[in-house]
Amino acid sequence: MKRVLHRTLAVAAALVASAALAACGASASSSGSSGSGPSTLKVWIMGSSGQNFTKLTASFTKSTGIGVDVQAIPWADVDTKLTTAVASGNGPDVMQVGLSELPTFEKSGALMDLSSYLAGHPALDSSNFLDALSTDKLNPPGKVLSIPWISDVRVLFYRTDIFQQAGIQGPPTTWAQLHADAVKLAARGSGKYGYYIPQWDAPLPIEFTWQAGGSVMDPSGKVNFDTPAFRQAVDFYASFYRDKLVPTAADFDQTAGFISGSAPMLISGPYLATSLTGIQGKWAAAPLPTDSTDTSLSAGSTLGVWHTSTKVAAALKLFDFLAQPSTQVAWYKLDGDLPSNKTALSDPSLTSDPTFQIYARQLQNSQLLPLVPTWDTIQTDMLTAVNKIVLTGANETSILNQLDQTVATLQK
Amino acid sequence: MTLTVKPPLVRSEGRPWPRTPRRRRGARATPYLFVAPAFACLLAFGIIPIAIAAVVSFTDLNVGGLGNLGAVHFVGLRNYQALFGSSDFWSALGNTALFVVMGVPVIVVVSLAIAIGLNQSQSRLFRALRTFYFLPAVTAVVAIALIWGYLYNSQFGLFNSLLQAVGLPQQQWLSDPWLAKVSVVLVAIWRATGLSIIILLAAQQDIPAEYYEAAALDGAGRWRQTVSITVPLLRFALFFVTVTTLIAWMQFFDEPYVLTQGGPLGATTSISLYIYQQGFQYNAFGFASAASVVLFVLIFAVTAVQLRARRWGR
């Protein structure tokens, strides 16, 4: 009798243990299903704009009855999130895609081809959007995998008060002036810099290359850094480090440095402006300084539909709503993201702001980063190479030759 | 905090386990039933993933291939060739070795010293201290990174303010390639000692008091007792701590991931972080799998050598 009891207990214990095990496996998948009714779209919004997006779409839900269940994905987690979604087949209905991620998303097959659904939505026509971000430019020929949503552009931010104290008249308009102004500003004393170069900002050397009149794409559509313009860009980039005009600390905080005045001049996107309310009236934006051009970087995000979503019609309605000039203007006021719609960009309520004028003007004068699938790896290698030169004093020629080889191998 | 963590520490070695009388067949299944859940876990989260990674390491799997297996090709040993030809891989491997060399001995020695110190008294203060030392081990790594990130920060960090206050030059804790390595190792040591201390403390409490009484009668002082009784009898616990710490440090990931993202210029990129970057940032799953297979082989080899060494040591 005692033995039977012993055995029963053992079996029971084993069962409890396996049940607990099964439960721990199941808990991971149960969280995704909340709030997805029959007419609710599951939407992934990148960055910290999730709450604002819910606010923006409240009127859409009211008028169409289509719910919007927003999940905010931090930018740093985008890749992991995409990977797991592709691998498991469990994606949202709609997702925001950053332009730098777009080639990866397109290649992954995660986005549905919307070309056959666009007929009833004139608002989504390619011609409504900024030329640089038009639907035609962002999509492979014959397909519409995503629709433009917001745009983004880099401009020069500078501290008007500090410029005045240093006796500098207005923002620099040429490379030479930018460097000369940085020298004056850095002379303010220790811990004060003339300019700031974010060590994580891979597009910056590319912008300099464009400004030097070059391109990083060769005619055959391959990335190529073996050009005089890129070498010129690297020299310009390095000149700030050589003359000790920029902080060398990797953890230097751009926003804190600009607000404290430690780094009173830098190139950034409109998102910086949203953190500058504390120094209102002490800063301004300006077009990028020119070498042979003043080309800036334009970026932005698009919206796509997950390839297995069954709610394509509802998603397209949402896209239509989001592409309306009034929605785009509301979103700029709510979240600070620039519109991609041309009409919204010339909306009087926005263009009355001089800073917005700068953004809009610079947008006309900007380029996208190359949309090639290996771009992420290539730009990281490029940035590492450039930073090696400026931070460790490594030999420029040998580092750049090595970079050229790596880039060639990556595109074989 | 209760101390219930007690690995089989001072099992009187050499004596065979008491022989159990032959039971009926059903009863013999009992141990297997007990082991089954743990084994199922090991199979599901250990063995099967390793086997899959081994297969994937011979393919060109990327994010496109995840959704469409038809786009995945076998590429033979090409991933391994690229891996061994990559200077970043060797640099990550070198960094990991350096982290292990800097971190593991310090953790073992420091946690042994603290554990012996904490065992000197059962007073309220010492019990509170135990919790204090264990706290970093149970704090979320993100919180730790945030706090230490602020401490180390070159613009407004506490360490630099203190240095400035006493007139010393400010340091770039996370930006100087060498100092950054030391900085992340320091955080990792601070975080990892807690668990080792608890294990060693528990093991000490298993040492019979008679040994110390006998030693005291023979005129052995505190130091002599520690060296000749405590440390030798902690052999198994020390071995356990060393092996687990070594394995953990060969997979060093959290601290550089959250503090420096592997920077500056890859100076704190460990092999695990390298695998993560290749796999999840650049979506090169085949290549990343090859690297993880190499890491697995390395850890397996090091652990096997340690187990052997212990057997020879007896």
Side-chain angles (χ1 to χ4, degrees):
Chain A
M1 189 63 215
K2 200 179 156 197
R3 184 154 291 168
V4 173
L5 182 71
H6 173 87
R7 263 172 66 198
T8 319
L9 273 177
V11 172
L15 281 176
V16 168
S18 7
L21 193 70
C24 89
S27 65
S29 60
S30 62
S31 60
S33 57
S34 63
S36 52
S39 60
T40 295
L41 289 168
K42 238 177 103 179
V43 181
W44 282 1
I45 292 298
M46 307 304 169
S48 52
S49 315
Q51 277 192 342
N52 284 338
F53 193 81
T54 309
K55 268 188 221 162
L56 181 77
T57 51
S59 66
F60 169 76
T61 304
K62 218 176 198 179
S63 63
T64 60
I66 300 169
V68 176
D69 173 22
V70 177
Q71 194 183 350
I73 316 278
W75 282 111
D77 294 350
V78 171
D79 284 308
T80 326
K81 199 76 191 171
L82 172 71
T83 310
T84 40
V86 171
S88 67
N90 278 326
D93 293 304
V94 168
M95 60 204 304
Q96 178 188 355
V97 185
L99 280 191
S100 59
E101 317 263 335
L102 191 60
T104 313
F105 273 73
E106 287 179 349
K107 198 176 154 208
S108 72
L111 301 174
M112 186 186 282
D113 181 12
L114 303 173
S115 42
S116 54
Y117 297 94
L118 289 177
H121 297 283
L124 301 180
D125 193 84
S126 187
S127 62
N128 295 329
F129 300 103
L130 267 172
D131 296 338
L133 295 175
S134 65
T135 323
D136 304 341
K137 278 221 176 118
L138 299 181
N139 285 285
K143 284 189 176 176
V144 178
L145 297 177
S146 70
I147 307 265
W149 158 225
I150 48 174
S151 68
D152 182 23
V153 71
R154 300 284 170 88
V155 296
L156 185 79
F157 287 84
Y158 68 103
R159 286 288 297 269
T160 46
D161 54 340
I162 296 175
F163 268 54
Q164 211 168 16
Q165 284 158 24
I168 304 171
Q169 307 292 323
T173 56
T174 64
W175 275 17
Q177 273 179 26
L178 175 64
H179 192 273
D181 287 353
V183 171
K184 280 186 204 160
L185 292 165
R188 289 175 300 151
S190 92
K192 313 265 194 231
Y193 302 97
Y195 181 62
Y196 171 61
I197 292 180
Q199 283 172 28
W200 38 262
D201 187 14
L204 188 63
I206 313 285
E207 288 159 42
F208 286 163
T209 309
W210 292 334
Q211 289 161 13
S215 161
V216 291
M217 295 288 270
D218 67 15
S220 69
K222 285 198 168 166
V223 178
N224 179 15
F225 293 124
D226 191 8
T227 62
F230 181 74
R231 306 283 140 141
Q232 225 177 308
V234 173
D235 285 340
F236 185 53
Y237 186 94
S239 73
F240 292 100
Y241 283 95
R242 194 188 53 224
D243 300 334
K244 302 198 169 22
L245 307 175
V246 288
T248 51
D251 59 358
F252 188 90
D253 189 89
Q254 160 173 298
T255 313
F258 190 70
I259 291 174
S260 76
S262 166
M265 177 163 64
L266 49 87
I267 291 176
S268 176
Y271 49 82
L272 178 68
T274 51
S275 333
L276 300 182
T277 42
I279 51 166
Q280 206 68 52
K282 294 180 180 170
W283 64 273
L288 292 188
T290 313
D291 184 37
S292 63
T293 73
D294 64 346
T295 311
S296 178
L297 167 80
S298 56
S301 288
T302 62
L303 294 163
V305 176
W306 189 255
H307 66 115
T308 54
S309 171
T310 52
K311 299 168 185 164
V312 193
L316 266 284
K317 270 188 200 163
L318 177 66
F319 290 179
D320 194 300
F321 166 78
L322 293 173
Q324 298 295 334
S326 57
T327 316
Q328 296 238 319
V329 170
W331 183 241
Y332 174 73
K333 290 178 179 164
L334 206 58
D335 207 62
D337 291 323
L338 294 175
S340 59
N341 179 292
K342 281 186 206 160
T343 320
L345 278 166
S346 52
D347 188 279
S349 75
L350 300 186
T351 51
S352 57
D353 172 12
T355 310
F356 186 88
Q357 283 172 17
I358 302 284
Y359 300 152
R361 212 179 103 195
Q362 188 75 69
L363 260 177
Q364 302 300 327
N365 208 345
S366 59
Q367 276 196 46
L368 292 176
L369 289 172
L371 292 170
V372 293
T374 42
W375 179 251
D376 249 6
T377 322
I378 292 177
Q379 77 167 4
T380 312
D381 285 344
M382 182 275 295
L383 185 65
T384 311
V386 172
N387 279 336
K388 248 183 208 161
I389 296 167
V390 296
L391 294 173
T392 66
N395 182 288
E396 183 170 331
T397 319
S398 78
I399 291 272
L400 292 182
N401 286 343
Q402 221 176 320
L403 172 69
D404 293 335
Q405 276 175 19
T406 320
V407 170
T409 328
L410 280 168
Q411 295 179 98
K412 251 181 205 160
Chain B
M1 179 153 300
T2 52
L3 294 176
T4 49
V5 194
K6 289 195 182 182
L9 300 162
V10 278
R11 166 166 80 84
S12 44
E13 293 178 30
R15 184 159 56 92
W17 293 104
R19 197 168 262 247
T20 39
R22 276 192 81 145
R23 295 240 180 97
R24 283 181 307 148
R25 246 164 106 216
R28 266 199 267 157
T30 309
Y32 295 100
L33 279 171
F34 272 112
V35 170
F39 186 72
C41 251
L42 182 68
L43 199 68
F45 303 113
I47 295 169
I48 292 177
I50 290 170
I52 292 176
V55 174
V56 169
S57 73
F58 296 107
T59 71
D60 62 354
L61 182 69
N62 57 28
V63 72
L66 276 183
N68 172 19
L69 285 176
V72 182
H73 311 96
F74 274 92
V75 294
L77 290 171
R78 212 194 296 159
N79 285 329
Y80 289 92
Q81 270 168 358
L83 187 67
F84 293 128
S86 156
S87 59
D88 290 345
F89 168 73
W90 290 108
S91 141
L93 208 59
N95 286 338
T96 310
L98 205 67
F99 290 144
V100 168
V101 170
M102 285 200 275
V104 178
V106 175
I107 287 197
V108 173
V109 171
V110 168
S111 47
L112 179 66
I114 294 177
I116 289 173
L118 284 178
N119 203 34
Q120 299 306 313
S121 163
Q122 298 295 326
S123 72
R124 193 168 287 228
L125 172 71
F126 276 66
R127 284 204 311 248
L129 276 178
R130 271 180 224 171
T131 315
F132 171 76
Y133 280 111
F134 195 61
L135 217 50
V138 291
T139 309
V141 66
V142 179
I144 289 175
L146 217 65
I147 302 291
W148 280 89
Y150 280 130
L151 293 177
Y152 280 139
N153 190 289
S154 54
Q155 262 168 299
F156 39 75
L158 177 71
F159 292 160
N160 271 356
S161 306
L162 292 177
L163 285 178
Q164 200 177 22
V166 296
L168 289 170
Q170 304 208 343
Q171 298 299 319
Q172 304 217 330
W173 298 101
L174 297 175
S175 304
D176 178 84
W178 274 99
L179 198 54
K181 284 192 225 286
V182 177
S183 298
V184 294
V185 165
L186 213 65
V187 177
I189 290 174
W190 175 78
R191 206 178 136 224
T193 40
L195 195 64
S196 310
I197 291 171
I198 293 297
I199 291 170
L200 292 173
L201 196 57
Q204 276 183 82
Q205 292 174 351
D206 259 12
I207 300 174
E210 291 85 0
Y211 293 172
Y212 294 104
E213 285 159 15
L217 282 179
D218 287 344
R222 269 272 159 88
W223 175 247
R224 187 80 233 173
Q225 288 180 14
T226 304
V227 173
S228 302
I229 299 174
T230 314
V231 175
L233 286 178
L234 284 180
R235 221 172 16 192
F236 189 82
L238 277 171
F239 174 72
F240 177 79
V241 165
T242 312
V243 172
T244 49
T245 309
L246 192 67
I247 293 177
W249 278 64
M250 287 181 79
Q251 304 177 40
F252 199 60
F253 178 83
D254 297 354
E255 287 80 5
Y257 175 67
V258 289
L259 275 174
T260 61
Q261 289 81 48
L265 297 171
T268 55
T269 303
S270 64
I271 190 78
S272 293
L273 191 54
Y274 178 73
I275 293 170
Y276 171 82
Q277 286 169 345
Q278 295 299 323
F280 292 99
Q281 278 177 339
Y282 308 138
N283 293 309
F285 299 115
F287 184 77
S289 296
S292 61
V293 168
V294 171
L295 177 62
F296 170 73
V297 170
L298 280 175
I299 293 180
F300 193 84
V302 168
T303 314
V305 166
Q306 276 185 306
L307 286 167
R308 265 292 148 78
R310 186 176 139 72
R311 216 174 296 163
W312 288 331
R314 274 198 204 163

